[in-house]
């Protein structure tokens, strides 16, 4: 077992937010802000459920990238602002960004058509608001001109606007380039933010809340489909399987994963790495995976006994594999090695995904549940018996 250090001291830093009252808690304004992203995930899921091929799936997921990084940027800004986020000016910034997020979300369904410009302009304004607020933060030391907030506002956002003015493949190329820069800049410019001290209670809570938002979409997908259908025996069984799967998704993250993330943020001296690699990247993978699972569960409730005939009906298995691989990546970035059991479970979900085209959807769901039950049962046994975690392969971060 790779032991987790409990006494790593954080290095001296100059830029520290104001948390005079102890741990920073999520503000009511932040929770209101999250409501826009509830709608955004619903828009992405609805559009994805109507996809006809892999290209449409990829183009839909591309739209989620600016939505995700807009939320991440706002959350990091709120974390660094500390108590300021719950004052009048901080609330107005959150509401302004939320309004931009609403415009972007409304445009998702026709983002490659008549609402492309609304999507691009909404994101451009969102990023300018975040950059302006970031520059006004009362940090102790001067900030570099080239940092992720500036790159997003003056490179990524203009590319989204430019792409909106171009038809066809040119739009996809421009938006893909923008998304690539958006994703890569926090990692490439991580050193520029390494002097910042992030508040360690606020970030795990915020990103955990976003996982709850995503899981809420799976509940809506299952419950909404069931409420509008005539359920027979297989239908009720599919409903039970869908709910069980959602509970297991929650358990996999919150029972063991979330405490490990907070521990790492509190004790790892390289907090910027945890913020970028674990919170920004790994959680992006979790949320995309849950969106794929939500689509798969919606199709499961619609036709539980049918063999899949469309691509959205096949997304349950790949979504679960991506979800578990995200944990492998996160643990590698936090502690230097992935665990054998989660890596094995991810491979098992890949096998389920490969077999799914030949199986009734209800069988695929049952197999997925079996994998998650085995994983969580095994991990509970390890903890109960105080056994070391079997590691896949120690490696350097």
């Amino acid at each position: 077992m790779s032991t987790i250090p409990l006494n790593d001291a954080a290095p001296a830093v100059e830029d520290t937010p104001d948390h005079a009252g102890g741990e920073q808690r999520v503000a009511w304004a932040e929770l209101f802000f999250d409501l826009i992203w509830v709608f955004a995930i619903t828009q992405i899921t609805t559009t994805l459920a109507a996809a006809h091929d892999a290209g449409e799936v990829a183009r839909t997921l591309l739209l989620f990238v600016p939505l995700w990084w807009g939320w991440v940027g706002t959350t990091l800004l709120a974390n660094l602002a500390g108590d300021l986020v719950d004052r009048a000016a901080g609330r107005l910034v959150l509401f302004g960004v939320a309004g931009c997020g609403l415009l972007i979300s409304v445009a998702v369904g026709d983002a490659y058509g008549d609402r492309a410009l609304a999507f691009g302009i909404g994101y451009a304004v969102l990023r300018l608001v975040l950059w302006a607020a970031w520059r006004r933060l009362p940090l102790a030391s001067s900030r570099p001109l080239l940092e992720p907030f500036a790159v997003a506002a003056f490179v990524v956002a203009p590319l989204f606007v430019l792409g909106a003015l171009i038809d066809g493949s040119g739009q996809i190329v421009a938006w893909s380039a923008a998304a690539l820069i958006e994703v890569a800049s926090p990692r490439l410019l991580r050193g520029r933010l390494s002097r910042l001290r992030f508040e360690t209670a606020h970030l795990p809570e915020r990103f955990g809340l976003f996982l709850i938002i995503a899981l809420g979409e799976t509940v809506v997908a299952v419950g909404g489909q069931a409420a509008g259908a005539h359920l027979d025996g297989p239908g009720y069984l599919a409903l039970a399987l869908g709910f069980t799967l959602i509970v297991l998704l929650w358990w996999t993250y919150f029972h063991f994963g979330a405490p490990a993330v907070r521990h790492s943020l509190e004790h790892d001296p390289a907090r910027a790495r945890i913020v970028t690699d674990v919170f920004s990247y790994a959680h992006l993978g979790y949320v995309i995976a849950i969106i794929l699972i939500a689509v798969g569960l919606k199709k499961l409730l619609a036709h539980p006994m049918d063999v899949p005939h469309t691509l959205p009906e096949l997304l349950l298995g790949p979504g679960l594999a991506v979800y578990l691989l995200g944990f492998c990546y996160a643990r590698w970035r936090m502690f230097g090695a992935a665990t054998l059991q989660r890596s094995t479970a991810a491979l098992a979900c890949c096998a389920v995904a490969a077999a799914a085209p030949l199986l009734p959807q209800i069988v695929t769901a049952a197999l997925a549940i079996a994998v998650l039950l085995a994983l969580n049962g095994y991990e509970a046994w390890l903890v109960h018996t105080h056994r070391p975690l079997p590691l896949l392969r120690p490696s350097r971060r």
Side-chain angles (χ1 to χ4, degrees):
M1 176 179 180
S2 177
T3 58
I4 301 173
L6 297 177
N7 58 353
D8 286 343
V13 291
E14 295 184 6
D15 297 333
T16 307
D18 178 19
H19 305 295
E23 288 188 350
Q24 180 181 355
R25 308 301 299 178
V26 175
W28 292 113
E30 291 180 275
L31 294 176
F32 175 83
F33 166 83
D34 285 347
L35 293 177
I36 304 302
W37 268 256
V38 173
F39 174 60
I41 289 184
T42 297
Q43 286 287 87
I44 294 292
T45 303
T46 302
T47 305
L48 199 60
H52 295 93
D53 53 44
E56 288 189 26
V57 170
R59 288 191 293 273
T60 301
L61 293 178
L62 174 62
L63 300 177
F64 184 66
V65 173
L67 284 165
W68 171 251
W69 288 107
W71 184 90
V72 169
T74 306
T75 297
L76 295 182
L77 181 72
N79 182 271
L80 295 170
D83 297 338
L84 297 176
V85 73
D86 212 21
R87 298 178 185 175
R91 290 171 176 176
L92 289 174
V93 170
L94 287 176
F95 296 156
V97 174
C100 295
L102 179 61
L103 177 61
I104 297 168
S105 302
V106 167
V108 162
D110 198 22
Y112 294 102
D114 293 338
R115 293 185 175 177
L117 192 58
F119 188 96
I121 291 177
Y123 189 61
V125 176
L126 182 153
R127 273 304 184 177
L128 286 172
V129 170
L130 288 181
W131 176 80
W134 156 254
R135 298 302 297 180
R136 290 177 61 85
L137 280 182
L139 301 178
S141 64
S142 60
R143 286 143 294 191
L145 292 177
L146 186 62
E147 38 78 19
F149 283 94
V151 170
F154 300 109
V155 178
V156 175
L159 277 174
F160 273 106
V161 175
L162 176 63
L165 299 173
I166 306 173
D167 292 330
S169 60
Q171 177 188 4
I172 297 173
V173 170
W175 284 11
S176 298
L180 180 61
I181 296 170
E182 182 87 277
V183 171
S185 62
R187 182 68 183 273
L188 296 176
L189 301 175
R190 189 171 64 199
R192 306 297 180 95
L193 303 179
S194 61
R195 298 178 68 84
L196 300 174
R197 173 174 289 176
F198 296 96
E199 207 282 329
T200 57
H202 178 258
L203 284 182
E205 187 176 8
R206 290 297 289 133
F207 281 83
L209 283 171
F210 203 97
L211 261 290
I212 291 293
I213 291 173
L215 289 172
E217 183 60 30
T218 64
V219 174
V220 171
V222 170
Q225 187 65 43
H230 174 72
L231 295 181
D232 52 9
Y236 282 110
L237 178 58
L239 179 62
L241 290 175
F243 178 70
T244 302
L245 184 59
I246 294 168
V247 171
L248 289 169
L249 293 175
W250 182 95
W251 195 278
T252 303
Y253 179 86
F254 286 98
H255 194 63
F256 293 121
V261 172
R262 176 164 179 174
H263 174 94
S264 181
L265 185 64
E266 289 175 341
H267 298 285
D268 197 314
R271 287 184 180 175
R273 188 189 73 247
I274 304 302
V275 170
T276 55
D277 294 359
V278 178
F279 284 112
S280 300
Y281 294 145
H283 282 72
L284 172 61
Y286 298 151
V287 175
I288 288 178
I290 293 172
I291 290 173
L292 297 178
I293 292 168
V295 174
L297 290 176
K298 183 180 180 69
K299 300 300 182 180
L300 165 67
L301 266 292
H303 307 286
M305 301 304 296
D306 291 354
V307 174
H309 297 290
T310 64
L311 183 57
E313 294 174 339
L314 293 168
L315 293 181
L316 181 61
L320 285 167
V322 172
Y323 189 64
L324 293 175
L325 286 171
F327 289 102
C328 298
Y329 171 77
R331 199 185 189 287
W332 170 58
R333 298 307 297 156
M334 289 188 294
F335 306 122
T339 59
L340 178 62
Q341 68 272 12
R342 296 212 171 192
S343 302
T344 303
L347 291 177
C349 286
C350 290
V352 171
L358 306 175
L359 303 173
Q361 294 186 71
I362 200 166
V363 174
T364 300
L367 291 173
I369 288 172
V371 172
L372 291 181
L373 280 174
L375 169 64
N376 285 285
Y378 179 68
E379 290 186 336
W381 176 74
L382 288 175
V383 172
H384 181 71
T385 58
H386 305 287
R387 295 175 184 269
L389 292 175
L391 301 181
L392 179 63
R393 180 173 60 86
S395 60
R396 293 182 178 180
R397 288 174 286 179

